[in-house]
């Protein structure tokens, strides 16, 4: 900024110096040294032109000084003082830097001095005098106004372009952050669900092998079944992780899709094999829903089952999927025994993921212990219309419809 300011100041002095040279030479060539008065006139022209080097905020005063000088010099010498260059630059500065009444006042001063000097030199008001008025006073002033307006317009365009560039960058950053958040939620759901199932399978196998060493009948075959469940859950986890990595790298095969409501039974089967009873109830009339909502519902149910595996007791989990007129609700109930950790005692990412998935679709999610103090309920409600209207309290009215 300092370099630009110094450059502008230097250019201002160059303009003022050139005006002094041109106007001084013009006065000299027109007989300005024909006596003591001529010397005074040349000195006065140089001094008046030197004011063109003053800061832009003095442009009005500079224009007024040139106007007064023209009139006074003409009255004293009876001829044009030869300050045309200075007058033109003063008019340009007034048009470029002044606004409102000061700008209009400077234009009137320049125009008045042009008319006055014409009358003092005996010129009649004719077409030539009008042209002189426009050339000396009006045209430089208008050029200054145009230059200033164009500079402001270009600055506005640059600012607008900069804002659009920043907005575009911010939109890209927001999209990337949202995509990362979505991938993180999916990874959390996949990893925690399968690892929780594997953990339960492994625990069951350990207990059964312990029973086998004690001579319990049928313990070994049951343990082997548990190991097969561990193997199945591990493979399912790897399949889901590969799928998410394909999505992340953009190499998802044509026709491939993420799991949805059609895969809920497979999800529940995995939980049942882990040793926890799990029931799915579907109420209402199923309908076609967008694929994004289908995936979100699957992930929400998956997280509900994961929470039941991690924090519930062995009595099982019940999930109710209800198709309503204006929305679709999912409710999961699981008991938490006195020796079990209450749901929500973990990192909280699972419940936060449910809220985020529901929030994307304009829905709402609730979770907490029911009044009996032993049942943890998680509820997610998704609207199916753009304006679903008033909704019942999340989870209300669903208990009576269970099968």
């Amino acid at each position: 900024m300092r370099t630009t300011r110094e450059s502008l100041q230097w250019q201002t002095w160059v303009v003022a110096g050139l005006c002094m040279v041109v106007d001084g030479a013009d006065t000299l060539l027109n007989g300005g040294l024909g006596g003591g008065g001529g010397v005074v006139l040349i000195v006065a022209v140089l001094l008046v032109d030197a004011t063109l080097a003053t800061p832009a905020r003095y442009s009005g005063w500079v224009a007024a000084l040139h106007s007064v000088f023209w009139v006074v010099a003409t009255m004293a010498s009876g001829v044009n003082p030869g300050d045309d260059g200075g007058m033109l630059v003063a008019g340009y500065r007034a048009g470029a830097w002044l606004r409102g009444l000061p700008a209009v006042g400077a234009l009137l001063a320049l125009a008045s001095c042009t008319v006055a000097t014409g009358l003092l030199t005996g010129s009649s008001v004719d077409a030539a005098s009008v042209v002189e008025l426009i050339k000396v006073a009006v045209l430089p002033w208008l050029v200054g106004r145009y230059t200033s307006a164009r500079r402001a317009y270009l600055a506005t365009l640059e600012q607008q372009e900069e804002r659009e560039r920043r907005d575009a960058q911010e939109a890209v950053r927001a999209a990337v952050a949202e995509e990362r958040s979505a991938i993180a939620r999916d990874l959390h759901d996949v990893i925690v669900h399968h690892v929780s199932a594997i953990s339960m399978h492994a625990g069951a196998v350990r207990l059964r092998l312990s029973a086998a060493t004690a001579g319990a009948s049928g313990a070994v075959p049951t343990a082997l079944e548990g190991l097969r469940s561990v193997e199945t859950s591990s493979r399912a986890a790897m399949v889901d992780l590969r799928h998410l990595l394909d999505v992340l790298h953009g190499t998802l095969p044509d026709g491939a899709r993420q799991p949805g409501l059609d895969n809920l039974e497979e999800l529940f089967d995995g939980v049942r094999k882990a040793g926890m009873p799990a029931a799915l109830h579907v109420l209402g009339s199923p309908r076609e829903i967008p694929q994004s909502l289908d995936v979100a519902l699957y992930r929400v149910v998956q997280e509900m089952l994961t929470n039941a595996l991690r924090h519930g007791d062995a009595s099982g989990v019940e999930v109710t999927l209800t198709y309503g007129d204006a929305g679709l609700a999912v409710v999961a109930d699981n008991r938490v025994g006195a020796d079990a950790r209450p749901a929500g005692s973990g990192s909280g990412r699972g419940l936060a993921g449910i809220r985020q998935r529901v929030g994307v679709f304009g829905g709402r999610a609730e979770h907490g212990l029911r009044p009996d103090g032993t049942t943890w309920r998680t509820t997610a409600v998704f609207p199916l219309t753009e304006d679903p209207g008033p909704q019942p309290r999340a989870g209300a009215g669903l208990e009576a419809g269970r099968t």
Side-chain angles (χ1 to χ4, degrees):
M1 181 62 68
R2 181 177 178 83
T3 302
T4 302
R5 188 183 301 113
E6 291 177 350
S7 176
L8 290 174
Q9 183 61 46
W10 178 80
Q11 293 178 40
T12 300
W13 279 105
V14 170
V15 170
L18 288 176
C19 286
M20 294 171 67
V21 172
V22 171
D23 290 339
D26 187 37
T27 303
L28 179 63
L29 293 175
N30 284 285
L33 291 179
V39 175
V40 173
L41 179 61
I42 291 179
V43 173
V45 167
L46 296 178
L47 292 176
V48 170
D49 281 349
T51 61
L52 296 174
T54 57
R57 61 179 178 273
Y58 299 121
S59 297
W61 295 106
V62 171
L65 177 62
H66 277 77
S67 302
V68 171
F69 171 72
W70 260 49
V71 175
V72 173
T74 302
M75 292 175 62
S77 63
V79 296
N80 188 301
D83 187 27
D84 290 353
M87 278 288 290
L88 295 176
V89 175
Y92 173 84
R93 280 166 51 101
W97 295 105
L98 300 179
R99 293 293 180 269
L101 292 178
V104 175
L107 176 62
L108 292 177
L110 294 170
S112 299
C113 86
T114 304
V115 173
T117 54
L119 295 176
L120 291 173
T121 56
S123 301
S124 59
V125 179
D126 53 11
S129 62
V130 173
V131 170
E132 183 69 15
L133 171 65
I134 295 175
K135 181 184 73 172
V136 176
V138 179
L139 186 59
W141 188 86
L142 288 177
V143 172
R145 301 291 286 185
Y146 167 77
T147 303
S148 179
R150 183 176 180 274
R151 183 168 55 246
Y153 174 69
L154 293 177
T156 301
L157 290 181
E158 291 177 356
Q159 294 174 0
Q160 181 179 352
E161 182 180 358
E162 179 63 20
R163 283 195 301 270
E164 291 176 351
R165 184 184 64 81
R166 287 198 302 266
D167 291 343
Q169 291 179 343
E170 185 63 29
V172 170
R173 283 194 293 267
V176 171
E178 177 61 27
E179 186 65 20
R180 286 176 176 172
S181 178
I183 293 173
R185 289 196 300 268
D186 287 342
L187 286 174
H188 171 273
D189 294 346
V190 169
I191 293 174
V192 173
H193 175 78
H194 289 297
V195 170
S196 297
I198 291 171
S199 176
M200 289 198 67
H201 286 308
V205 170
R206 177 180 55 80
L207 294 175
R208 288 160 187 166
L209 288 177
S210 298
T213 58
S217 176
V220 172
T222 306
L224 292 176
E225 180 63 28
L227 288 175
R228 279 193 288 269
S229 297
V230 170
E231 183 181 7
T232 301
S233 296
S234 301
R235 287 177 177 174
M238 290 303 298
V239 169
D240 283 344
L241 287 175
R242 287 195 186 100
H243 179 87
L244 289 176
L245 289 175
D246 287 339
V247 173
L248 183 61
H249 291 294
T251 58
L252 195 65
D254 294 338
R257 58 182 293 275
Q258 294 198 61
L261 296 181
D262 294 339
N263 305 100
L264 286 183
E265 281 301 329
E266 302 172 11
L267 194 62
F268 277 78
D269 287 342
V271 174
R272 297 185 190 108
K273 290 179 180 179
M276 173 174 283
L280 172 64
H281 310 296
V282 179
L283 305 179
S285 300
R287 69 189 72 174
E288 291 291 333
I289 59 176
Q291 182 179 354
S292 57
L293 178 57
D294 190 42
V295 175
L297 282 165
Y298 177 87
R299 294 303 184 191
V300 167
V301 174
Q302 185 181 50
E303 181 57 36
M304 290 175 172
L305 295 178
T306 301
N307 286 337
L309 284 171
R310 297 180 65 193
H311 309 302
D313 62 11
S315 60
V317 58
E318 288 191 6
V319 177
T320 302
L321 177 62
T322 303
Y323 290 88
D325 294 335
L328 195 155
V330 183
V331 178
D333 286 331
N334 62 277
R335 295 180 63 83
V336 286
D339 59 343
R341 292 187 302 162
S345 62
S347 66
R349 291 192 181 93
L351 294 174
I354 291 177
R355 289 193 297 269
Q356 290 172 355
R357 291 184 189 278
V358 175
V360 168
F361 295 90
R364 60 186 183 276
E366 294 179 0
H367 55 84
L369 285 174
R370 299 196 66 195
D372 60 14
T374 61
T375 303
W376 182 270
R377 166 168 287 187
T378 305
T379 304
V381 178
F382 295 82
L384 292 179
T385 60
E386 293 184 357
D387 184 13
Q391 293 282 334
R393 182 179 61 83
L398 294 177
E399 184 67 26
R402 288 178 177 263
T403 58

